[in-house]
């Protein structure tokens, strides 16, 4: 089946630790995105990538880092610099960044700081 | 700046009745509009989109949406609600690429739909 796979589904982080969220897609999509979802705030863009080895900051990139070494993979690292990392993280991909193309989403990773 | 407003945090409707989830937008340019649905602890599923052409757009699971340029609205509708339609619904807008960047999606804050048996 084609789709986007995020892992793990639940992740617990101690304060001061870096953690990496995985996102893999087999849809052959060029563009990939990371969003953060908090209650009552909708989705906010963290980072996006249009092609391999290229990525751009979104609206709330501080405290996060990404890489795009392969077309299929777009991992997100939540660093210790992110002061409020507890949230639901969603990865998405689309055929291109054309304005009329819809994004497809993974099932999400819920990160909790303990 | 682009923005999307979903004025209702919660919509309740009886099963079998028509439902409407409201969305208004503000963009500088022609908008591309999308509706997504989210079930608990899951990702977003694409329902439908408006790009151009007919103002009434039909999508998945019997949903449709009407683009109204004069009112800058894109309300989601369904003639007869099902209990299984209960979920969180997001409206999103995208405008063509600007000089600085990308065709990113801007999301509303979501509307929780509850269909009462």
């Amino acid at each position: 089946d084609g789709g986007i796979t995020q892992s793990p589904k639940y992740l617990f982080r101690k304060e001061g630790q870096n953690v990496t969220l995985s996102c893999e897609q087999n849809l052959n999509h060029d563009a990939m995105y990371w969003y953060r979802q908090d209650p009552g705030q909708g989705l906010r863009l963290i980072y996006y990538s249009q092609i391999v080895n290229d990525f751009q900051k979104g609206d709330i990139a501080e405290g996060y880092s990404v890489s795009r070494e392969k077309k299929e993979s777009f991992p997100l690292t939540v660093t210790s610099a992110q002061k409020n990392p507890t949230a639901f993280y969603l990865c998405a991909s689309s055929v291109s960044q054309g304005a009329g193309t819809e994004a497809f989403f993974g099932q999400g990773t819920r990160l909790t700081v303990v | 700046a682009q923005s999307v407003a979903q004025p209702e945090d919660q919509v309740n409707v009886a099963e079998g009745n028509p439902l409407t989830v409201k969305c208004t937008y503000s963009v500088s340019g022609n908008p591309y509009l999308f509706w997504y649905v989210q079930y608990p602890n899951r990702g977003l599923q694409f329902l439908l989109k408006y790009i151009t052409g007919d103002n009434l757009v039909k999508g998945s699971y019997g949903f449709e949406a009407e683009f109204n340029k004069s009112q800058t609205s894109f309300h989601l509708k369904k003639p007869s609600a099902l209990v299984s339609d209960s979920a969180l619904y997001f409206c999103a807008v995208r405008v063509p690429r600007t000089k600085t960047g990308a065709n990113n999606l801007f999301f509303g804050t979501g509307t929780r739909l509850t269909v009462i048996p």
Side-chain angles (χ1 to χ4, degrees):
Chain A
D1 287 337
I4 302 174
T5 301
Q6 289 186 242
S7 62
K9 189 171 182 178
Y10 298 97
L11 186 58
F12 298 89
R13 189 193 95 169
K14 293 182 180 179
E15 295 217 15
Q17 278 186 337
N18 293 355
V19 291
T20 297
L21 283 60
S22 171
C23 178
E24 303 276 335
Q25 55 100 357
N26 61 3
L27 300 168
N28 200 33
H29 286 173
D30 290 312
M32 296 187 74
Y33 315 82
W34 274 104
Y35 289 91
R36 171 179 171 141
Q37 185 178 12
D38 295 283
Q41 295 195 46
L43 276 69
R44 293 181 290 168
L45 183 66
I46 304 173
Y47 267 98
Y48 64 94
S49 168
Q50 300 180 57
I51 56 172
V52 174
N53 293 321
D54 180 70
F55 49 84
Q56 305 293 330
K57 293 181 179 180
D59 300 320
I60 55 164
E62 185 175 354
Y64 300 97
S65 66
V66 294
S67 63
R68 187 87 186 275
E69 297 177 1
K70 298 187 299 181
K71 188 176 186 178
E72 303 78 17
S73 179
F74 192 42
L76 173 74
T77 297
V78 184
T79 75
S80 57
Q82 171 49 239
K83 298 306 178 188
N84 184 23
T86 295
F88 192 51
Y89 291 87
L90 289 162
C91 178
S93 69
S94 63
V95 173
S96 71
Q97 274 228 309
T101 58
E102 62 269 26
F104 294 83
F105 284 80
Q107 298 302 294
T109 293
R110 186 165 298 280
L111 174 63
T112 304
V113 174
V114 296
Chain B
Q2 284 70 239
S3 67
V4 177
Q6 294 182 243
E8 300 161 316
D9 293 335
Q10 174 81 42
V11 170
N12 296 326
V13 63
E15 186 177 22
N17 282 2
L19 70 86
T20 298
V21 182
K22 296 179 180 178
C23 172
T24 59
Y25 63 90
S26 173
V27 301
S28 53
N30 292 322
Y32 296 165
L33 295 154
F34 302 80
W35 274 103
Y36 286 85
V37 60
Q38 184 181 35
Y39 297 98
N41 292 312
R42 304 294 294 273
L44 275 66
Q45 296 178 33
F46 169 74
L47 280 178
L48 51 80
K49 65 182 178 182
Y50 172 81
I51 304 301
T52 187
D54 194 345
N55 290 341
L56 185 64
V57 179
K58 294 188 183 297
S60 306
Y61 312 118
F63 283 94
E64 58 188 29
E66 186 167 13
F67 172 64
N68 188 317
K69 189 173 183 178
S70 63
Q71 297 185 4
T72 62
S73 67
F74 189 56
H75 300 333
L76 181 70
K77 300 181 180 183
K78 188 173 182 180
S80 178
L82 302 172
V83 173
S84 57
D85 292 330
S86 298
L88 187 58
Y89 290 81
F90 288 97
C91 182
V93 66
R94 191 181 246 169
V95 294
R97 192 183 304 271
T98 64
K99 290 182 181 179
T100 55
N103 300 315
N104 292 322
L105 279 169
F106 293 89
F107 285 86
T109 53
T111 298
R112 186 165 301 281
L113 172 69
T114 300
V115 180
I116 303 165

